[in-house]
Amino acid sequence: MRICMVSDFFYPSIGGVEEHVYNLSQMLLSLGHKIVVLTHAYGDCSGIRYVTGYLKVYYLPIKVCYNQCILPTAVCNVPMLRAVLLRERVEVVHGHSAFSALAHEALMVGSLLGLKTVFTDHSLFGFADLSAALTNNLLEVNLGMVNHAICVSHIGKENTVLRARVAKNRVSVIPNAVDTALFTPDPQKRPSNDIINIVVASRLVYRKGIDLLAGIIPRFKNTPNINFIIVGDGPKRDLLEEIREKTNMQERVQMVGAVEHNKVRDFLVRGHIFLNTSLTEAYCMAIVEAASCGLQVVSTSVGGIPEVLPKSLILLAEPEIDAIYAAILIAIDRHRKSSFKVSPPVANGHLPSEANGKVKRRRRRKADTPTSPTQLPASSAPPADQNSPAEPVMCPYRCNELVETLYNWEDVALRTVKVYDRVSNERPFTTSELVFAVWQHGSWFLVFFVVAHFLMRLLELWRPRKRVELAQDVQRTAS
C-alpha cells in the first residue's frame, strides 16, 4: 500500500506529532508499505530528502505563517499537492494534527482525486474560546471529507466526536507508543547520596501548566535534598528563572533548555520522579518515556492521562498546586522507603543479554495477543493505593518491561494498517457528496472548496494524470 503522511510538524522540528509521524512511517516501511512524508520547508531543509530507512520526505517550498504552520489558503497549494500525490501514486492520504493547515489541504486534495483519506487527531480542544471555535469549525469541515479518523486516547475520541460532530463508528482509538529500547533505565546515573531529582520535560507554555510548576518549586526551598531538572524551552522560561532567582535555588533548579529528542533519556535517567503539570493532554508521550526509564510519574489528572499508565507507575493529582505538591511528597516518601536492588550491574542502561532475550521472546508472544492498556496482568501491575506512602516503588527495569508490554510501534502500525484496509474497501466520495458534506458542516468554506474543485479540473486539462512523471521507488536493502 502506498501511503502519504502529511503534517506541518516533522523533523528537524521536535515534538510529539513529529515523533509519531516518523516512528509510524518507519514501522510501516518495515512492514513492506511505501511511505512518503509531506511537510513544509524548514530553513535550508527543502526539496526531496531521504532519512533513515529510505523514508522519502518532501519539504515543500511553502512559507510558514505562525507556530510552524503554513497559511491556510485552501487553494494556493493545490497544484503542488496534486503533483506530489499523483507522482507518488498515493493510495491513502494520512493527515496529522488539527493545527496543521497543510494536512487539511492535502486531505481535501486527496478526496478530490478520489483517494482514501485518514486523519489522526493528537490534541484536545475546548469549546468556549475563539481559537478553539475556529479550529473546531475547520476540523468539522475537513472530517466531513475524510474516510476515517484516529484519536490517541478514548477521551480524545469523545472530544473529537463532540467538537467535529462526526459519527463514532468513523473514529478509532490507537494510542502512541515509545521505543523502550531507546528509553532504558540506568539507576547508576542517579545521585548516590540522599538527593532526589525531580525531572520536568515539556514545552514551557501555559497549557503545559508551567504556572503550576512555578508555584510548586518554592515549596521545596527549605528541603535542600530535592533538586529540579527542567528540560524544554518556551515563553514561560522567564517565569521559572525569575522564581529560581527569588528563592535562591540556582544550584538546585537546573534549566537545561531545548534538547534533541534522542538526548532526552540522558536527563531522564538522572531523575527519580517525573513531574507533569499539563492542563490539557490527549495523550502524554513524556510520561510514557519517563516510566520506560524507570521514573515514578506524578501528573495532573487531565484529558487522556489517567488511561495512559497503570496505577503502579503513576500518581495522579488535580491541577492545583496543593494537590500536586502532596502527590510529590508521597512519591518522595516512597523512594526513601524503597528497597529494590539493581543486580547484576548494567552497562549503558541496557539489560543483560539473558534479560534481553526474555524481552524479545515476550515481544514475539505479545505480537500474537496484544495487551490492552486497560487489561493488565495482575502480577505485572499490582493495584496501587495512591494515598499510601507505603506503596513500594517498582524496580526501574520492571517498569521498562511493563511499558514495553503496553506500548510499542509494531502494535500501533498493525492497528493503523487495519484502518487503511478498512477505508480501502470503501468507495470513493463523489463530488456531490463532498459538496453536500462541506455545505452541511460549514457553508462558509464551500466557496474555497468550489474554487479548489474547478482548479483541479483545470489542472487535469492542462496536465492530465497520464502525463505526470512517476517517481522511481528506492529499494530498501536488508540490514
Side-chain angles (χ1 to χ4, degrees):
M1 191 177 297
R2 306 180 72 87
I3 305 155
C4 179
M5 302 285 182
V6 189
S7 180
D8 279 304
F9 312 105
F10 194 69
Y11 295 133
S13 177
I14 302 298
V17 177
E18 293 87 340
E19 182 188 356
H20 180 98
V21 174
Y22 175 80
N23 287 317
L24 178 59
S25 300
Q26 292 290 346
M27 187 55 63
L28 290 173
L29 282 173
S30 67
L31 294 176
H33 300 278
K34 171 63 178 178
I35 309 296
V36 295
V37 177
L38 279 184
T39 187
H40 60 73
Y42 282 87
D44 295 334
C45 188
S46 61
I48 301 176
R49 304 289 182 94
Y50 284 91
V51 298
T52 305
Y54 293 102
L55 175 60
K56 191 174 185 179
V57 184
Y58 282 83
Y59 289 97
L60 303 180
I62 307 175
K63 295 293 185 181
V64 173
C65 174
Y66 173 74
N67 197 22
Q68 294 299 340
C69 293
I70 67 170
L71 182 67
T73 61
V75 295
C76 293
N77 301 313
V78 168
M80 193 183 311
L81 294 174
R82 174 185 179 271
V84 173
L85 295 179
L86 293 178
R87 173 180 168 83
E88 295 292 340
R89 292 160 286 169
V90 171
E91 300 173 74
V92 178
V93 181
H94 191 164
H96 293 264
S97 181
F99 290 109
S100 175
L102 182 62
H104 294 310
E105 293 184 10
L107 290 171
M108 181 185 67
V109 173
S111 297
L112 289 172
L113 287 173
L115 307 179
K116 305 303 166 55
T117 52
V118 178
F119 175 77
T120 297
D121 195 359
H122 295 262
S123 304
L124 295 177
F125 289 88
F127 300 88
D129 57 289
L130 179 60
S131 62
L134 293 175
T135 304
N136 294 344
N137 200 350
L138 178 62
L139 183 65
E140 182 180 345
V141 171
N142 278 273
L143 288 189
M145 299 182 286
V146 169
N147 293 98
H148 204 81
I150 298 174
C151 294
V152 294
S153 64
H154 291 281
I155 193 69
K157 176 179 177 178
E158 294 179 10
N159 183 262
T160 299
V161 168
L162 288 174
R163 62 192 174 95
R165 292 193 291 179
V166 61
K168 291 190 293 185
N169 62 339
R170 292 179 54 206
V171 183
S172 299
V173 177
I174 303 178
N176 275 320
V178 63
D179 187 355
T180 53
L182 174 63
F183 289 90
T184 52
D186 191 358
Q188 295 178 343
K189 298 293 185 181
R190 297 177 178 178
S192 57
N193 47 23
D194 292 334
I195 292 178
I196 292 181
N197 286 336
I198 300 176
V199 181
V200 178
S202 74
R203 292 191 299 274
L204 305 184
V205 295
Y206 170 76
R207 74 181 190 91
K208 292 296 183 179
I210 303 304
D211 295 280
L212 295 175
L213 179 61
I216 293 169
I217 292 177
R219 303 233 177 160
F220 293 94
K221 177 181 179 180
N222 298 321
T223 312
N225 59 342
I226 304 297
N227 293 344
F228 286 84
I229 302 175
I230 301 176
V231 181
D233 206 348
K236 290 288 184 178
R237 176 167 181 165
D238 293 339
L239 173 63
L240 295 180
E241 290 180 343
E242 180 182 354
I243 293 297
R244 184 178 62 170
E245 296 295 327
K246 286 183 177 180
T247 55
N248 293 321
M249 298 176 66
Q250 294 89 340
E251 300 297 327
R252 296 170 50 203
V253 179
Q254 180 183 359
M255 302 292 296
V256 178
V259 299
E260 296 181 3
H261 184 258
N262 59 358
K263 297 180 180 179
V264 172
R265 174 191 174 269
D266 297 338
F267 297 96
L268 290 177
V269 295
R270 293 169 50 190
H272 303 79
I273 299 170
F274 182 84
L275 177 59
N276 174 59
T277 58
S278 294
L279 301 178
T280 175
E281 287 283 0
Y283 180 101
C284 186
M285 280 290 296
I287 65 174
V288 182
E289 293 169 350
S292 181
C293 289
L295 280 73
Q296 187 175 10
V297 178
V298 176
S299 175
T300 49
S301 181
V302 296
I305 289 179
E307 62 186 81
V308 174
L309 291 175
K311 292 182 179 180
S312 57
L313 298 181
I314 188 171
L315 285 167
L316 296 174
E318 293 299 318
E320 301 172 356
I321 295 176
D322 291 337
I324 299 172
Y325 176 67
I328 295 175
L329 293 181
I330 293 176
I332 293 172
D333 197 29
R334 288 182 181 181
H335 272 284
R336 286 174 175 168
K337 294 180 179 179
S338 64
S339 59
F340 67 82
K341 296 181 179 180
V342 180
S343 62
V346 294
N348 298 326
H350 293 279
L351 290 169
S353 58
E354 180 182 355
N356 271 323
K358 294 180 181 178
V359 169
K360 292 178 181 178
R361 289 194 296 272
R362 185 165 55 253
R363 177 179 291 180
R364 287 194 294 269
R365 291 196 300 268
K366 179 176 60 58
D368 298 328
T369 57
T371 305
S372 170
T374 59
Q375 298 175 348
L376 303 176
S379 59
S380 62
D385 182 4
Q386 296 216 19
N387 297 322
S388 174
E391 181 70 25
V393 176
M394 189 178 295
C395 171
Y397 297 109
R398 301 287 79 80
C399 293
N400 181 270
E401 293 174 3
L402 179 55
V403 171
E404 184 187 26
T405 62
L406 298 177
Y407 304 109
N408 66 85
W409 285 110
E410 182 180 2
D411 182 49
V412 172
L414 291 174
R415 294 167 68 175
T416 305
V417 169
K418 291 183 178 180
V419 174
Y420 295 155
D421 293 336
R422 173 179 174 177
V423 301
S424 296
N425 295 326
E426 299 177 0
R427 65 174 181 81
F429 293 120
T430 63
T431 303
S432 59
E433 288 175 336
L434 292 174
V435 170
F436 178 75
V438 174
W439 175 81
Q440 185 180 26
H441 295 293
S443 56
W444 59 272
F445 191 76
L446 187 59
V447 176
F448 297 96
F449 179 81
V450 171
V451 172
H453 171 67
F454 281 106
L455 181 58
M456 293 279 289
R457 298 292 295 268
L458 290 175
L459 290 171
E460 186 65 31
L461 295 175
W462 177 59
R463 192 178 184 187
R465 301 188 187 196
K466 61 182 180 180
R467 292 178 54 188
V468 176
E469 182 182 1
L470 301 181
Q472 299 297 319
D473 293 337
V474 176
Q475 299 296 328
R476 287 167 55 93
T477 58
S479 56

